[in-house]
């Protein structure tokens, strides 16, 4: 057979690691061409909320394909987008009255940054400095990388990344240092602070308390600095509530949503903003409009999928399902945490994480990581450690037997770690 011409994301093809071929999926299970049933322990990279091929979402997509596939969205509109925008305004915090569409988490962040700069520019008081939280991740486009942590992932592109003000991560016991640094940074009139609320995902599933999030929001409000919440991972119930911000009673000025927006079925993103930010772009002057678009902005089929997701949220006991999954995971995590090689067992809603010892101290590039991947694949599990951090973030519909297989697979990692100590 001719070798595949595909260049995969975040994949070192030079290592010749196995790339399973998935033919179909249902609920929390993926099926491969060689007849295996794989448990999806990470919701296919944090997107699948209600389960793969959810019947209501698939039906909505099928119905929409018979009506309207794609239409220019600059100066034109369509019913799925209108319904979705109204549905989002109804379910999200009421101050977020405006909905701008794009197609990925990264672009929703780019849009948020451009909205913030446009807001200040249109008010005649331009500001361009963005504050960020240490260890954050906001996507892989140049702007999104600029507001994210610097490391091996973006070293080659560093010359193109813009400078930001970094506030230290509020680790346990050092929260005050974070708040003081933010307070100081806010005095220099930055445009905005962007944060991942309550949990830094790609940064290693790092948790910080709700009161710190609330304090950060309050400091920004006091200084008139815009507060951007990137809920691309945390949104849609991941952390136990519809938005993570809700646990801190925080309403951002700008909100980024993607991943679970369509239940994880097709790509779509929104950036929601307050009336004040929208109004700053409102004028009879064309020079002040919001200059952003991409070809597939508010694609009707994607909007139909998102409308089905909203209907599931409105009509089904999604939060109860999430609470039940969180409770089951809490028990399994507690058992796992008793193992001597496991540290920092932690949980937020449907996300659990643990750390393994990293004798090489090489973080994301730890030699342990590829061996762990192979270990999980051997056991028909889709788990993808962040360096030596292993996390579980399953679809909300996962059955207990599959959840047990994930946690048993992690417990069995001890064989991989023992290997790591050997010369
Ligand atoms: C995944 C993620 C993004 C990027 O989303 P893409 O759809 O992969 O571009 C941005 N922010 C956070 C917090 C994420 O977890």
């Amino acid at each position: 057979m001719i070798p595949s011409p595909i260049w995969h994301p975040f994949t070192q093809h030079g290592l010749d690691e196995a790339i399973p071929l998935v033919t179909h999926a249902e609920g929390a299970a993926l099926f491969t061409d060689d007849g295996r049933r794989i448990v999806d322990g990470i919701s296919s990279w944090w997107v699948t909320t209600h389960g793969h091929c959810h019947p209501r979402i698939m039906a909505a997509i099928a119905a929409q394909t018979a009506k309207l596939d794609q239409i220019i969205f600059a100066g034109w509109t369509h019913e799925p987008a209108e319904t979705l925008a109204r549905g989002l305004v109804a379910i999200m915090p009421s101050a977020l009255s405006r909905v701008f569409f794009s197609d990925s988490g990264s672009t929703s962040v780019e849009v948020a940054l451009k909205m913030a700069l446009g807001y200040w520019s249109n008010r005649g008081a331009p500001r361009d400095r963005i504050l960020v939280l240490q260890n954050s991740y906001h996507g892989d486009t140049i702007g999104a990388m600029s507001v994210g942590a610097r490391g091996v992932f973006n070293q080659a592109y560093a010359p193109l990344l813009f400078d930001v003000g970094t506030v230290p991560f509020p680790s346990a016991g050092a929260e005050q240092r974070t708040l003081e640094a933010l307070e100081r940074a806010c005095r220099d009139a930055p445009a905005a602070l962007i944060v991942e609320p309550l949990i830094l995902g790609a940064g290693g599933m790092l948790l910080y308390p709700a009161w710190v999030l609330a304090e950060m929001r309050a400091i920004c409000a006091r200084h008139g600095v815009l507060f951007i919440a990137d809920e691309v991972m945390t949104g849609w119930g991941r952390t136990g509530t519809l938005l993570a911000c809700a646990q801190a009673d925080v309403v951002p000025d700008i909100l980024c949503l993607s991943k679970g927006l369509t239940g994880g079925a097709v790509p779509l993103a929104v950036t929601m903003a307050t009336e004040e930010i929208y109004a700053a772009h409102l004028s009879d002057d064309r020079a002040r409009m919001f200059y952003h678009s991409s070809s597939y902005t508010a694609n009707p089929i994607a909007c139909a999928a998102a409308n089905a997701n909203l209907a599931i949220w409105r009509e089904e006991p999604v939060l109860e399902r999430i609470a039940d999954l969180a409770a089951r995971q809490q028990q399994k995590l507690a058992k796992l945490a008793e193992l001597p090689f496991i540290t920092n067992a932690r949980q937020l809603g449907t996300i659990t994480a643990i750390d393994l010892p990293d004798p090489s101290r090489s973080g994301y590039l730890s030699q342990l990581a590829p061996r762990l991947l192979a270990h999980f694949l051997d056991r028909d599990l889709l788990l993808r450690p962040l360096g030596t951090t292993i996390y579980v973030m399953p679809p909300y519909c996962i059955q207990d037997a599959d959840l047990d297989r994930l946690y048993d697979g992690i417990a069995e990692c001890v064989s991989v770690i023992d290997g790591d100590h050997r010369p």
Side-chain angles (χ1 to χ4, degrees):
M1 203 167 71
I2 302 164
S4 169
I6 295 175
W7 190 345
H8 284 267
F10 275 76
T11 299
Q12 179 46 274
H13 286 281
L15 294 175
D16 265 333
E17 283 157 346
I19 298 184
L21 193 152
V22 176
T23 52
H24 57 291
E26 188 188 352
L30 308 171
F31 300 90
T32 60
D33 63 339
D34 55 358
R36 294 200 283 161
R37 179 187 180 279
I38 313 266
V39 180
D40 186 350
I42 61 165
S43 297
S44 285
W45 242 358
W46 318 350
V47 299
T48 310
T49 48
H50 312 297
H52 287 278
C53 293
H54 191 284
R56 290 183 77 168
I57 298 172
M58 296 303 106
I61 291 173
Q64 184 57 38
T65 59
K67 286 191 254 176
L68 176 65
D69 54 350
Q70 163 68 13
I71 174 79
I72 175 176
F73 207 61
W76 293 75
T77 195
H78 54 80
E79 189 275 327
E82 294 294 338
T83 302
L84 178 54
R86 288 195 179 87
L88 286 168
V89 167
I91 198 174
M92 294 296 163
S94 58
L96 299 168
S97 52
R98 297 289 164 176
V99 181
F100 191 94
F101 288 97
S102 63
D103 18 50
S104 72
S106 300
T107 51
S108 76
V109 168
E110 300 284 349
V111 165
L113 298 174
K114 286 174 72 172
M115 277 180 181
L117 265 67
Y119 169 83
W120 290 110
S121 172
N122 285 336
R123 283 166 54 110
R127 296 184 179 194
D128 55 35
R129 193 162 176 78
I130 306 290
L131 303 180
V132 308
L133 211 50
Q134 181 194 8
N135 299 322
S136 297
Y137 175 80
H138 297 289
D140 280 339
T141 53
I142 294 287
M145 277 193 293
S146 296
V147 294
R150 308 296 158 97
V152 65
F153 332 95
N154 46 41
Q155 210 164 288
Y157 329 116
L160 285 189
L161 304 186
F162 57 76
D163 192 31
V164 294
T166 303
V167 175
F169 177 75
S171 45
E175 297 90 351
Q176 220 51 48
R177 186 182 58 141
T178 298
L179 300 176
E180 283 160 19
L182 178 60
E183 182 86 48
R184 268 195 308 279
C186 279
R187 290 196 197 114
D188 298 332
L193 167 72
I194 181 166
V195 298
E196 292 170 83
L198 301 187
I199 179 165
L200 274 53
M205 300 298 160
L206 306 175
L207 306 186
Y208 64 94
W211 70 265
V212 176
L213 180 62
E215 279 300 313
M216 290 196 295
R217 206 289 169 249
I219 291 170
C220 287
R222 244 191 341 266
H223 290 272
V225 173
L226 295 178
F227 187 90
I228 304 171
D230 175 354
E231 295 242 19
V232 169
M233 179 188 82
T234 49
W236 304 106
R238 264 302 153 209
T239 69
T241 43
L242 177 63
L243 295 181
C245 279
Q247 294 178 41
D249 271 328
V250 157
V251 176
D253 297 298
I254 302 177
L255 171 69
C256 302
L257 294 171
S258 185
K259 292 190 172 135
L261 171 58
T262 60
V266 283
L268 186 69
V270 293
T271 307
M272 296 183 68
T274 60
E275 202 59 23
E276 195 184 350
I277 291 167
Y278 174 77
H281 292 81
L282 206 58
S283 158
D284 51 15
D285 178 1
R286 284 181 176 278
R288 289 162 62 110
M289 72 170 99
F290 187 50
Y291 285 102
H292 191 95
S293 174
S294 57
S295 305
Y296 290 105
T297 299
N299 172 263
I301 298 169
C303 288
N307 281 324
N309 171 49
L310 277 185
I312 291 168
W313 271 91
R314 278 191 303 260
E315 294 158 24
E316 297 182 22
V318 180
L319 283 174
E320 280 102 283
R321 251 175 238 157
I322 287 169
D324 176 67
L325 171 58
R328 287 186 285 138
Q329 290 208 85
Q330 190 175 21
Q331 286 179 0
K332 297 178 204 300
L333 181 69
K335 261 179 66 191
L336 195 61
E338 288 169 8
L339 298 173
F341 61 96
I342 277 171
T343 55
N344 297 329
R346 52 200 185 273
Q347 177 174 18
L348 182 65
T350 69
I351 308 168
T352 64
I354 55 106
D355 294 337
L356 297 178
D358 181 13
S360 64
R361 298 197 170 278
S362 36
Y364 188 84
L365 292 184
S366 165
Q367 286 309 307
L368 208 52
R371 297 228 299 279
L372 288 170
L373 265 183
H375 164 91
F376 292 128
L377 198 54
D378 272 352
R379 284 159 181 73
D380 292 345
L381 304 175
L382 170 49
L383 287 172
R384 195 181 157 99
L386 293 156
T388 52
T389 295
I390 302 178
Y391 66 90
V392 180
M393 194 191 298
Y396 306 153
C397 63
I398 191 169
Q399 300 293 305
D400 225 42
D402 283 341
L403 210 48
D404 278 333
R405 283 184 50 202
L406 291 168
Y407 283 86
D408 289 347
I410 298 172
E412 287 159 15
C413 278
V414 68
S415 58
V416 185
I417 301 169
D418 282 350
D420 206 51
H421 286 293
R422 270 184 236 124

